[in-house]
């Protein structure tokens, strides 16, 4: 049986500031792809579209709806509809773990706390996009100062008690970290302090949106075990982490495509993610 006999096919594309993701979907994920967004969001969007279709063994002509989300969603003319990433992250997280009532998403240039109801609909959200603190960009800058990769930052942080950083502002934190290194303060403690700063930022944001049990952590930063651990510790709650947290927005977009193509009730009972982790 060929893929397209599963039912209607939708495609979600999430063009983020750091990475662009695509998910091809029927009643489950048929294929997905991810690439750095770089300087050309349109090119990145077309690349993941073609790669995800190839992975799914599907022709573009078989796709009934292509939904765009993320900051670069205006860059592709082929979208059936464009939807905010807030809505897409909520729907994607709810699909993967239907007990989700709060979504924490750390993107490249923003972080969000989203409250949702039992249907996966957004009831409230808060977003920090005016300041790099609490974002992937903040962690990238700090990792560069410490001369470690972003992946290694978490591992390094797990080996020491955090050194308290007084500033959450990227510019001041840069100066502070540079000064701590010059004084011979250990890198591991600084790394732990940097991650704590991000956790504190999320905690401050979550104070403005009711943090209901059933917290799912999405975005590329959720792949970092130490970041998960520190945020969970700061919030005093367990975090559900999907197997591929960076694809949650694109999945949500694909689910919206399904809703356009079928009746809304058809999404009930779809399979959930067996590979999710707990922090």
């Amino acid at each position: 049986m060929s893929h397209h006999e599963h039912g209607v096919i939708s495609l979600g594309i999430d063009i983020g500031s750091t990475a662009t993701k695509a998910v091809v979907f029927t009643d489950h994920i048929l294929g997905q792809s991810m690439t750095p967004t770089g300087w050309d969001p349109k090119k990145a969007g077309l690349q993941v579209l073609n790669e995800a279709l190839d992975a799914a063994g599907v022709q573009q002509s078989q796709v009934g709806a292509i939904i765009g989300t993320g900051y670069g969603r205006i860059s592709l003319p082929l979208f059936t509809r464009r939807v905010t990433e807030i809505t897409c992250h909520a729907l994607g997280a709810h699909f993967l773990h239907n007990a989700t009532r709060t979504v924490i998403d750390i993107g490249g240039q923003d972080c969000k706390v989203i409250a949702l109801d039992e249907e996966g609909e957004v009831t409230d959200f808060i977003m920090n996009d005016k300041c790099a603190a609490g974002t992937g960009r903040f962690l990238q800058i700090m990792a560069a100062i410490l001369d470690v990769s972003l992946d290694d930052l978490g591992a390094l942080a797990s080996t020491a008690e955090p050194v308290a950083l007084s500033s959450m502002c990227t510019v001041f934190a840069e100066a502070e970290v540079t000064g701590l290194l010059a004084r011979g303060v250990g890198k591991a403690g600084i790394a732990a302090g940097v991650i704590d700063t991000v956790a504190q930022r999320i905690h401050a944001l979550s104070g403005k949106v009711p943090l209901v049990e059933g917290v799912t952590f999405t975005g590329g930063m959720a792949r970092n075990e130490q970041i998960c651990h520190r945020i969970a510790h700061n919030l005093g709650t367990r975090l559900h982490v999907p197997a591929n947290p960076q694809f949650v927005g694109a999945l949500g977009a694909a689910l919206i495509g399904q809703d356009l193509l079928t009746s809304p009730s058809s999404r009930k009972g779809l399979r959930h993610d067996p590979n999710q982790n707990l922090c």
Side-chain angles (χ1 to χ4, degrees):
M1 185 167 93
S2 64
H3 279 316
H4 64 275
E5 290 172 56
H6 282 296
V8 295
I9 297 173
S10 61
L11 202 157
I13 299 179
D14 177 5
I15 303 178
S17 59
T18 306
T20 295
K21 294 77 62 174
V23 168
V24 181
F25 192 89
T26 53
D27 57 345
H28 62 286
I29 293 171
L30 295 176
Q32 56 192 33
S33 173
M34 180 167 66
T35 192
T37 302
W39 299 110
D40 193 341
K42 183 178 179 181
K43 183 182 173 189
L46 290 171
Q47 181 184 327
V48 293
L49 175 129
N50 290 316
E51 288 174 359
L53 288 171
D54 285 349
V58 166
Q59 302 295 316
Q60 192 172 331
S61 59
Q62 294 170 254
V63 177
I66 303 176
I67 308 299
T69 190
Y71 100 107
R73 63 184 178 273
I74 52 165
S75 59
L76 277 183
L78 53 76
F79 291 135
T80 313
R81 187 170 290 182
R82 294 174 177 85
V83 183
T84 74
E85 56 266 41
I86 303 291
T87 301
C88 291
H89 275 272
L91 285 172
H94 184 264
F95 172 76
L96 294 172
H97 182 65
N98 63 3
T100 301
R101 295 295 174 270
T102 307
V103 175
I104 293 171
D105 173 58
I106 300 185
Q109 293 184 3
D110 64 30
C111 56
K112 317 172 193 67
V113 178
I114 308 163
L116 43 144
D117 63 19
E118 58 277 1
E119 295 294 315
E121 301 292 331
V122 176
T123 57
D124 198 3
F125 75 91
I126 187 158
M127 181 167 166
N128 161 40
D129 60 354
K130 300 286 183 284
C131 164
T135 68
R137 181 78 188 124
F138 175 81
L139 287 166
Q140 267 181 326
I141 291 167
M142 296 305 142
I145 296 168
L146 292 170
D147 198 26
V148 295
S149 73
L150 199 51
D151 286 343
D152 289 341
L153 188 72
L156 182 66
S158 66
T159 64
E161 285 297 306
V163 172
L165 299 180
S166 58
S167 179
M168 284 191 184
C169 167
T170 308
V171 178
F172 294 124
E174 253 185 282
E176 191 175 353
V177 167
T178 305
L180 288 168
L181 287 171
R183 295 213 312 272
V185 176
K187 276 188 185 184
I190 298 172
V194 163
I195 288 173
D196 258 17
T197 299
V198 173
Q200 285 157 19
R201 186 72 185 201
I202 299 294
H203 189 257
L205 273 182
S206 71
K208 295 171 183 161
V209 167
L211 192 76
V212 180
E213 267 309 308
V215 184
T216 295
F217 186 15
T218 66
M221 290 301 125
R223 295 187 352 255
N224 190 313
E225 203 176 316
Q226 193 60 22
I227 292 171
C228 285
H229 174 73
R230 298 307 304 179
I231 291 173
H233 176 78
N234 256 279
L235 295 177
T237 185
R238 297 178 82 187
L239 298 179
H240 292 274
V241 182
N244 293 295
Q246 62 275 56
F247 283 99
V248 172
L251 171 61
L255 289 168
I256 289 166
Q258 289 289 310
D259 276 353
L260 284 183
L261 297 168
T262 60
S263 66
S265 60
S266 67
R267 196 152 41 82
K268 290 184 172 65
L270 293 180
R271 69 191 68 176
H272 297 291
D273 180 7
N275 301 315
Q276 65 177 4
N277 301 312
L278 281 171
C279 265

